[in-house]
Amino acid sequence: AAAAAATATATAASSSLLLLSSDSTPSLLLISQMLLLSCLAGTPVAQAAQAESLASMIDESEDEDEDDEDDSDSDSDSDDEDEDDDDDNDDDEIFLSPQHGTRHDFLDRMNCHVEQTPDARVPPRYDESTWLFLRAAYVAVVGREESTIQPNMFEPAVHVDHYVGYYRNMGRGVYAASDIPKGTLVWDSRYTARFSTAEQYRRFLLSVPYVLACDLLIWCYAMRKPEDEGGAELCCDLDSGSLFNTADWTEQVNLVEEKTEDGTVVKFRPVRAARDIHIGEQLLMDYGDFDYDPGWGILGM
C-alpha cells in the first residue's frame, strides 16, 4: 500500500511539474524533476544512492555549461564589432542572467507588476507538489552539500490546521482552521532556502516558471548572516510559511519567533503562537523581527 501511494504521489507530482515547465531552464528543470521523483519513490538507502548520482549529474551539467560558454566566447569575439554598432540602441534594455539583474530588474522584465484585475491571470495554486518542485529546483541550483533545507522534503513545516485565503490589501494569507493555544509551535524553517550569493538566487529564479518566480521575488527576504558580521543572505521559505503576512500594527501580531535568552535565533527558527488564536483568524507576523532590507544591496540585488 505504501509503495502504491508513493507511486501515485510521484505520478501526480510529475504531472504538476510538467505543467509548470514551459518557461523553465531545461537542464535544471529536468534535474530537479528527477531529484523530486527519486525522493518520492525511493527508500532511504535508494535515496542516498540517487542523490549521489544526481549530484554528479548536476556537476556534469555545470561543466557542460562552462564548456559551452568557452566555445561561445571564441565565436563571439568575431561579432564584437557588429555588436558595438548596436550598443547605443540597447542601453535601456535589461538582460537577465545569473550574473546580472537586480530584484527590480527581475520584477520588471518578468512583468510581475501587471495590474491584477478579475480578468488577470489567476495566481498559481500552491499545493504540496508545487512546493516540492521549488525545493528540488533549489537543490539542483545550489547543490546537495550547500542546500539548507532538510533532506526529507515531506514533513510539514506548518504544524497547525490551517488554510490559505484572501484578504483585502494583503492578498493571500494563512488562516487558523482550528483554535491554537498560546505557545503552540506553528511553523519552522526546515524548508527555508538560503542563498549566500546573488548569482545563486538569480539562477534559482531563472530555473522556475516566471509565474512562480514573480511570487518568489515578493516573498523572499534578506537576513543578517550570523557568522559574518555585516554580511547578509537571501532566504525563501519554500512552504506555506511564505504566505504569512505582516501585521499592520503590533496588536495584530499573533506569531512570534522563538529565541534564546541572549536573543540569538534557535535552529529551524521555530515560530509559536504569541497568544491564543481563534479559528478563522489570520496568522500574522512582524517582518521587522527578521527582515534585513539592506541585505539586498549588500549582495548586489
Side-chain angles (χ1 to χ4, degrees):
T7 302
T9 304
T11 302
S14 178
S15 299
S16 298
L17 292 175
L18 289 173
L19 289 173
L20 291 171
S21 66
S22 59
D23 296 322
S24 299
T25 303
S27 60
L28 285 177
L29 179 67
L30 178 60
I31 292 172
S32 63
Q33 286 177 339
M34 294 177 66
L35 175 62
L36 170 57
L37 295 179
S38 68
C39 291
L40 281 166
T43 64
V45 174
Q47 288 173 16
Q50 290 161 344
E52 291 289 350
S53 175
L54 287 164
S56 65
M57 288 177 62
I58 293 170
D59 291 338
E60 289 173 6
S61 69
E62 290 175 349
D63 291 340
E64 289 176 2
D65 290 341
E66 289 176 2
D67 291 340
D68 291 341
E69 289 177 3
D70 291 340
D71 293 339
S72 63
D73 286 343
S74 59
D75 294 335
S76 64
D77 289 341
S78 62
D79 298 329
D80 284 345
E81 293 183 4
D82 293 336
E83 291 177 0
D84 289 340
D85 293 336
D86 297 330
D87 284 345
D88 293 338
N89 298 325
D90 295 337
D91 287 341
D92 297 330
E93 191 72 20
I94 300 170
F95 295 97
L96 304 179
S97 74
Q99 292 77 32
H100 300 97
T102 66
R103 176 173 47 161
H104 297 294
D105 293 336
F106 273 78
L107 286 166
D108 289 339
R109 294 293 292 164
M110 291 182 170
N111 293 321
C112 298
H113 295 303
V114 174
E115 183 178 355
Q116 294 299 304
T117 67
D119 295 328
R121 66 174 175 80
V122 177
R125 178 187 176 194
Y126 283 82
D127 57 18
E128 192 58 26
S129 64
T130 311
W131 295 121
L132 286 167
F133 166 76
L134 290 173
R135 293 167 199 162
Y138 165 69
V139 174
V141 168
V142 303
R144 188 166 42 85
E145 292 187 358
E146 281 197 49
S147 170
T148 56
I149 63 176
Q150 70 166 27
N152 184 349
M153 297 186 186
F154 307 98
E155 295 178 352
V158 180
H159 303 280
V160 296
D161 293 334
H162 66 284
Y163 62 92
V164 175
Y166 289 82
Y167 186 81
R168 62 185 183 279
N169 301 325
M170 284 189 177
R172 283 163 287 189
V174 182
Y175 294 78
S178 60
D179 291 340
I180 304 173
K182 178 181 178 180
T184 300
L185 176 63
V186 174
W187 175 85
D188 63 49
S189 64
R190 67 185 62 207
Y191 300 129
T192 297
R194 299 177 183 273
F195 301 89
S196 58
T197 68
E199 181 173 342
Q200 287 180 334
Y201 180 62
R202 295 188 193 103
R203 194 176 294 277
F204 177 57
L205 293 174
L206 293 168
S207 73
V208 302
Y210 279 13
V211 68
L212 300 182
C214 284
D215 279 338
L216 292 168
L217 284 161
I218 297 170
W219 295 340
C220 299
Y221 51 93
M223 288 187 68
R224 297 179 187 274
K225 204 168 185 179
E227 64 275 15
D228 180 11
E229 186 175 351
E233 59 187 358
L234 301 179
C235 304
C236 302
D237 302 325
L238 303 182
D239 55 68
S240 296
S242 275
L243 303 176
F244 289 143
N245 285 314
T246 190
D248 289 329
W249 56 85
T250 305
E251 291 75 13
Q252 286 183 311
V253 174
N254 53 25
L255 299 180
V256 62
E257 189 171 312
E258 181 180 333
K259 296 183 179 179
T260 62
E261 292 183 358
D262 63 0
T264 57
V265 176
V266 179
K267 183 180 179 181
F268 280 152
R269 293 172 53 210
V271 170
R272 298 185 180 276
R275 57 168 174 78
D276 290 340
I277 301 173
H278 302 294
I279 185 172
E281 276 194 74
Q282 186 177 180
L283 305 180
L284 296 170
M285 308 179 71
D286 180 357
Y287 289 173
D289 287 343
F290 56 87
D291 188 30
Y292 179 51
D293 197 59
W296 292 95
I298 292 173
L299 290 172
M301 280 298 298

